[in-house]
Amino acid sequence: MVASLLACGVDPQKAILFCQSQVPEHAELSWILGCLTSMPRLRHLPQWKMKSNQRNEGSVGLYTYPVLQAADILLYKSTHVPVGEDQIQHLELAQDLARIFNKRFGDGFFPQPQALLSSTRKVKSLRDPSSKMSKSDTQTMATIYITDSPDDIALKIRRAVTDFTSEVTYHPETRPGVSNLVSIHAAAADIDVDEAVSRARGLDTAAYKNVVAEVVVQRLGPIRERFEQLRAEHSHLQAVLDKGRRKARELATPVLQEVRRLVGFC
């Protein structure tokens, strides 16, 4: 994961990369926030409903995971959080918990975190454009990975679900498959969807898939090469994590100490 982030351009001199499990303040704040969260509030969150239905049952860890996400955000008094569209409701839970905590224990202690949404809010599955693209999808053709070879990427995009209309248009509600390809094209080429559609003028969907594949391959090629280099540099990756853990604890410890004081633990 660290190699992936660094390969995608994250600067370890500016960003703090660490393993959440190595910063115990996350778990403790999560427990405190869990005492402020009602069960019906968690029951209606989309991830719980989707994953518990898929597995016919759900664990307590899955059920309370959004509270841990809220702790991840509030522990650092974050004001802005980059999220996908599918995580908006989880961020709203963090906002609610900040309001509840502030009202009960300390007005203004936690800021209200706001969402940072990119122009590509959600990338859909290549096999089922009604759902998001996910690394946990069991369909191997549904998801593009940064480690995929150019041939793998081209094959997945050629087999992407579209429809029987050959013209390339962007209508997510009525043509989700083709519109997903347009969104991917726009994101990979760093253009807007109107420009992507304009560049597809005169192409049928089969030819357009080749264009999208080429753009994605060009965008991910350098990232994949850098990822392979970094993955071999285990000591460097570990050093990044160690530095991040120390910095994260420096930031988290005083916040949790104040939370403990406010709620009456010490």
Side-chain angles (χ1 to χ4, degrees):
M1 189 66 242
V2 177
S4 298
L5 291 169
L6 296 179
C8 288
V10 173
D11 185 349
Q13 301 303 318
K14 297 179 180 178
I16 303 173
L17 302 180
F18 61 95
C19 291
Q20 180 200 63
S21 58
Q22 295 181 351
V23 182
E25 287 82 359
H26 287 252
E28 185 170 345
L29 181 58
S30 177
W31 188 88
I32 293 170
L33 295 177
C35 294
L36 306 177
T37 310
S38 71
M39 294 181 67
R41 182 71 173 83
L42 297 179
R43 194 179 302 130
H44 290 96
L45 290 173
Q47 294 283 59
W48 165 257
K49 289 192 290 186
M50 178 183 70
K51 293 190 176 182
S52 61
N53 287 337
Q54 288 175 347
R55 302 171 186 175
N56 297 319
E57 62 180 27
S59 68
V60 174
L62 177 62
Y63 191 72
T64 61
Y65 183 66
V67 181
L68 180 60
Q69 286 183 306
D72 295 341
I73 295 166
L74 298 180
L75 184 58
Y76 301 96
K77 294 193 171 184
S78 304
T79 58
H80 294 81
V81 184
V83 293
E85 194 174 57
D86 60 307
Q87 291 294 321
I88 289 294
Q89 285 184 273
H90 287 183
L91 182 59
E92 289 172 349
L93 175 64
Q95 294 169 342
D96 290 345
L97 287 172
R99 281 192 291 268
I100 294 169
F101 185 94
N102 291 345
K103 184 176 181 180
R104 288 194 186 183
F105 302 112
D107 188 31
F109 182 76
F110 285 126
Q112 287 287 305
Q114 302 300 314
L116 285 176
L117 292 168
S118 69
S119 57
T120 306
R121 297 189 175 190
K122 184 187 293 185
V123 179
K124 304 294 184 66
S125 163
L126 295 177
R127 301 303 301 163
D128 177 12
S130 66
S131 61
K132 71 173 184 176
M133 185 178 287
S134 172
K135 61 182 180 293
S136 60
D137 198 316
T138 56
Q139 297 190 70
T140 57
M141 291 289 109
T143 304
I144 296 173
Y145 301 92
I146 64 171
T147 53
D148 281 345
S149 70
D151 287 345
D152 287 338
I153 293 171
L155 178 62
K156 288 178 179 181
I157 292 176
R158 281 201 304 270
R159 292 188 178 179
V161 170
T162 51
D163 53 41
F164 296 106
T165 302
S166 62
E167 183 184 6
V168 176
T169 60
Y170 184 75
H171 298 295
E173 297 300 322
T174 57
R175 304 192 68 199
V178 174
S179 298
N180 188 40
L181 291 178
V182 172
S183 294
I184 293 171
H185 180 193
D190 197 21
I191 57 178
D192 60 33
V193 294
D194 291 337
E195 176 62 21
V197 171
S198 177
R199 293 185 186 185
R201 189 172 295 119
L203 300 177
D204 60 20
T205 51
Y208 182 59
K209 287 179 177 180
N210 292 331
V211 172
V212 176
E214 182 178 354
V215 171
V216 173
V217 166
Q218 289 177 350
R219 184 63 180 267
L220 294 185
I223 294 174
R224 184 180 64 258
E225 292 176 10
R226 180 60 178 149
F227 171 79
E228 295 297 341
Q229 294 170 357
L230 285 164
R231 196 165 58 168
E233 300 173 7
H234 185 268
S235 60
H236 170 63
L237 298 178
Q238 190 59 55
V240 170
L241 284 174
D242 289 343
K243 179 182 177 182
R245 171 181 49 80
R246 291 191 297 269
K247 182 61 177 177
R249 295 212 67 183
E250 287 176 11
L251 296 172
T253 299
V255 174
L256 187 62
Q257 287 177 340
E258 184 62 11
V259 168
R260 288 171 176 166
R261 187 190 68 79
L262 288 169
V263 300
F265 284 176
C266 58

